[in-house]
Amino acid sequence: MNKKNVLIADLLVGYVKLHNIHFNVVGNGFKEAHEYFEHLYDDVHDFYDEVAERVRMDGDIPVASVKKYLELTTIKDAEDKEHSIEEAYKIALDLYKSFKNSVHELRKEADEKGDYAWVGLMEDIADNLDKEIWMMESFLK
């Protein structure tokens, strides 16, 4: 299993999952939550693009088909239903923690191989994930 392609698949499936909660979040504070989840899926799209482009720069082919994404992803889909704001934040938080685990694994492997381009990319993504995890955890207190 190529962990880089699994991360690509997870990011794309996560991107769709964030759209689900963005579209279907309800409750007092809707506007702020709706806009926040849009911010999250925009960031995840950027991560997805950066990881896939880094794979290409390494001379490999990134996974880029829905069929393969569904075969590779470790992300559990969200139901197509209304989500309370608290539920939506919990879904996003779990998703971001999953991303963080994958990013840390890839960063460790890259460091062991001396692949500093991947180390740098994974550190940049991890910094963003850490900030958003902190924000979501603070919201849920």
Side-chain angles (χ1 to χ4, degrees), residues 49-63:
D49 189 60
E50 291 168 6
V51 171
E53 287 179 352
R54 182 76 248 166
V55 167
R56 282 299 295 147
M57 285 186 265
D58 289 348
D60 295 322
I61 302 292
V63 63

Side-chain angles (χ1 to χ4, degrees), residues 5-68:
N5 276 330
V6 171
L7 179 59
I8 291 168
D10 284 352
L11 289 168
L12 192 282
V13 172
Y15 173 76
V16 173
K17 187 172 188 173
L18 289 166
H19 272 83
N20 179 325
I21 59 177
H22 165 78
F23 296 147
N24 296 312
V25 68
V26 295
N28 188 22
F30 163 80
K31 184 177 186 313
E32 294 82 8
H34 182 76
E35 290 172 356
Y36 181 67
F37 297 123
E38 181 176 1
H39 156 74
L40 292 182
Y41 72 65
D42 285 343
D43 281 353
V44 169
H45 179 269
D46 290 344
F47 304 153
Y48 164 75
D49 189 60
E50 291 168 6
V51 171
E53 287 179 352
R54 182 76 248 166
V55 167
R56 282 299 295 147
M57 285 186 265
D58 289 348
D60 295 322
I61 302 292
V63 63
S65 74
V66 173
K67 180 181 178 184
K68 285 301 262 183

Side-chain angles (χ1 to χ4, degrees), residues 20-141:
N20 179 325
I21 59 177
H22 165 78
F23 296 147
N24 296 312
V25 68
V26 295
N28 188 22
F30 163 80
K31 184 177 186 313
E32 294 82 8
H34 182 76
E35 290 172 356
Y36 181 67
F37 297 123
E38 181 176 1
H39 156 74
L40 292 182
Y41 72 65
D42 285 343
D43 281 353
V44 169
H45 179 269
D46 290 344
F47 304 153
Y48 164 75
D49 189 60
E50 291 168 6
V51 171
E53 287 179 352
R54 182 76 248 166
V55 167
R56 282 299 295 147
M57 285 186 265
D58 289 348
D60 295 322
I61 302 292
V63 63
S65 74
V66 173
K67 180 181 178 184
K68 285 301 262 183
Y69 292 147
L70 295 175
E71 290 173 10
L72 292 173
T73 192
T74 65
I75 302 301
K76 184 177 179 261
D77 211 357
E79 289 184 59
D80 296 328
K81 67 177 190 81
E82 289 184 342
H83 300 283
S84 71
I85 290 173
E86 184 173 340
E87 179 186 20
Y89 271 88
K90 286 179 181 177
I91 291 168
L93 178 59
D94 287 346
L95 180 62
Y96 264 58
K97 285 181 176 180
S98 178
F99 292 155
K100 182 179 173 180
N101 289 336
S102 297
V103 165
H104 281 285
E105 281 185 34
L106 282 172
R107 191 243 179 254
K108 182 180 175 186
E109 284 182 9
D111 194 39
E112 290 168 358
K113 294 177 183 176
D115 189 339
Y116 300 111
W118 274 98
V119 168
L121 176 58
M122 294 299 99
E123 286 180 352
D124 289 347
I125 292 172
D127 284 346
N128 187 294
L129 294 171
D130 285 341
K131 181 178 180 182
E132 297 303 340
I133 288 169
W134 168 68
M135 301 273 279
M136 289 183 261
E137 288 176 337
S138 295
F139 174 83
L140 290 167
K141 283 188 177 181

